[in-house]
mmCIF file of all heavy atoms in Angstrom:
data_model
loop_
_atom_site.group_PDB
_atom_site.id
_atom_site.type_symbol
_atom_site.label_atom_id
_atom_site.label_comp_id
_atom_site.label_asym_id
_atom_site.label_seq_id
_atom_site.Cartn_x
_atom_site.Cartn_y
_atom_site.Cartn_z
ATOM 1 N N GLU A 1704 301.182 115.312 178.203
ATOM 2 C CA GLU A 1704 300.098 115.653 177.203
ATOM 3 C C GLU A 1704 299.184 116.855 177.604
ATOM 4 O O GLU A 1704 297.979 116.865 177.100
ATOM 5 C CB GLU A 1704 299.236 114.401 176.898
ATOM 6 C CG GLU A 1704 298.429 114.049 178.212
ATOM 7 C CD GLU A 1704 299.095 112.832 178.977
ATOM 8 O OE1 GLU A 1704 300.275 112.812 178.987
ATOM 9 O OE2 GLU A 1704 298.362 112.181 179.681
ATOM 10 N N HIS A 1737 302.575 109.883 170.478
ATOM 11 C CA HIS A 1737 301.900 109.424 171.760
ATOM 12 C C HIS A 1737 301.233 110.692 172.406
ATOM 13 O O HIS A 1737 300.027 110.572 172.767
ATOM 14 C CB HIS A 1737 303.089 109.001 172.651
ATOM 15 C CG HIS A 1737 302.559 108.475 173.949
ATOM 16 N ND1 HIS A 1737 302.224 107.258 174.200
ATOM 17 C CD2 HIS A 1737 302.362 109.074 175.189
ATOM 18 C CE1 HIS A 1737 301.829 106.991 175.456
ATOM 19 N NE2 HIS A 1737 301.911 108.224 176.083
ATOM 20 N N HIS A 1741 297.082 111.402 172.902
ATOM 21 C CA HIS A 1741 296.398 111.582 174.244
ATOM 22 C C HIS A 1741 295.258 112.552 174.129
ATOM 23 O O HIS A 1741 294.473 112.576 175.043
ATOM 24 C CB HIS A 1741 297.483 112.030 175.271
ATOM 25 C CG HIS A 1741 298.045 110.959 176.045
ATOM 26 N ND1 HIS A 1741 297.375 109.919 176.643
ATOM 27 C CD2 HIS A 1741 299.466 110.799 176.493
ATOM 28 C CE1 HIS A 1741 298.236 109.059 177.331
ATOM 29 N NE2 HIS A 1741 299.362 109.646 177.206
ATOM 30 N N GLU A 1760 297.104 105.145 179.159
ATOM 31 C CA GLU A 1760 298.524 104.909 178.701
ATOM 32 C C GLU A 1760 298.670 103.644 177.852
ATOM 33 O O GLU A 1760 299.356 103.712 176.895
ATOM 34 C CB GLU A 1760 299.452 104.862 179.995
ATOM 35 C CG GLU A 1760 299.592 106.192 180.882
ATOM 36 C CD GLU A 1760 299.949 107.381 179.911
ATOM 37 O OE1 GLU A 1760 300.379 107.112 178.842
ATOM 38 O OE2 GLU A 1760 299.881 108.485 180.331
ATOM 39 N N TYR A 1821 302.237 100.833 181.105
ATOM 40 C CA TYR A 1821 302.396 101.297 179.651
ATOM 41 C C TYR A 1821 302.304 100.177 178.607
ATOM 42 O O TYR A 1821 301.604 100.091 177.722
ATOM 43 C CB TYR A 1821 303.570 102.238 179.531
ATOM 44 C CG TYR A 1821 303.377 103.610 180.025
ATOM 45 C CD1 TYR A 1821 303.082 103.948 181.222
ATOM 46 C CD2 TYR A 1821 303.587 104.641 179.122
ATOM 47 C CE1 TYR A 1821 302.943 105.252 181.489
ATOM 48 C CE2 TYR A 1821 303.368 106.088 179.484
ATOM 49 C CZ TYR A 1821 303.078 106.311 180.681
ATOM 50 O OH TYR A 1821 302.888 107.577 181.130
HETATM 51 ZN ZN1 ZN B 816 301.116 108.561 177.785
#
Side-chain angles (χ1 to χ4, degrees):
E1704 69 264 23
H1737 182 95
H1741 266 316
E1760 296 306 346
Y1821 274 64

